[in-house]
Amino acid sequence: MNEQDILKDFKGSLIIDSEGKILSAAGTLQEEFYNSQGFATTILSMLHDVNVITTSNKQEFKRMTITFSNQTFIVTIVGQKIFVVVQ
Amino acid sequence: MDKQLSETFNHLSQQNGVVGYSVVDENGLCLKAHGPGQNNNAGFYKSLLDKSRQLSEGSEVASVTIETDTTNIFIQHNQKITLAVSKLP
């Protein structure tokens, strides 16, 4: 099963590289606000904070969930890619 | 009020699975912490929530959950206070 097969079940998805460049966008995350350098950079910056938190406790990061009143983003890292999906 | 606050945090730390918490003020400084590393991570918990505003068109502050191999960390903002609770999965 490739990446697109896994991501197709979500309302939207973004794939970002380790430098914050958007590799692909699908569904609701194709909208200009989300499919933007600013959005990707913020995700990356939050992951840097998470890295400090988890490294200090010698923990292995699995997933970050960002919950708003109207939608939820789930962020995970596989290899050198950052995956963001929206529920 | 201090006594009530202490009792609340005692109650929190005794909840099943809770291994730590951190209470952070609006400047990112730790007001109260319990558990390993919670004091040092206070600023980063607040930073996560501050940055989350940029992910919302209405600049709403999110609740953030970090899942790791050993604990889940729940971070939420309430008026001027950020609370992070670490719990076993």
Side-chain angles (χ1 to χ4, degrees), chain B residues 23-29 31 46 49-50 53 76-83:
Chain B
V23 185
V24 188
D25 74 2
E26 56 192 337
N27 296 311
L29 300 172
L31 293 172
K46 183 174 183 308
L49 296 195
D50 287 345
R53 285 181 183 271
Q76 197 168 48
H77 175 82
N78 188 349
Q79 295 181 335
K80 295 184 181 179
I81 297 294
T82 297
L83 174 66

Side-chain angles (χ1 to χ4, degrees), chain A residues 7-31:
Chain A
L7 296 174
K8 68 178 171 58
D9 293 331
F10 294 97
K11 279 167 55 177
S13 64
L14 278 179
I15 304 178
I16 305 168
D17 73 8
S18 57
E19 292 173 2
K21 182 183 160 196
I22 295 176
L23 301 175
S24 74
T28 57
L29 296 189
Q30 284 183 302
E31 294 169 22

Side-chain angles (χ1 to χ4, degrees), chain A residues 33-34 39 42-43 45-46 49-50 52-54 56-57 59-69 73, chain B residues 36-37 41 44-45 47-48 51-52 54-57 60-71 73:
Chain A
F33 178 81
Y34 303 110
F39 190 88
T42 300
I43 292 287
S45 180
M46 290 176 75
D49 287 347
V50 169
V52 173
I53 293 165
T54 57
S56 70
N57 293 328
Q59 294 167 317
E60 185 183 323
F61 170 73
K62 287 168 69 175
R63 182 167 45 233
M64 172 172 64
T65 305
I66 306 164
T67 305
F68 293 102
S69 57
F73 299 107
Chain B
N41 291 332
F44 294 99
Y45 294 140
S47 173
L48 276 171
K51 288 173 185 173
S52 74
Q54 297 167 42
L55 303 179
S56 162
E57 289 182 271
E60 182 186 343
V61 177
S63 296
V64 175
T65 302
I66 303 168
E67 293 173 60
T68 76
D69 56 338
T70 55
T71 58
I73 307 169

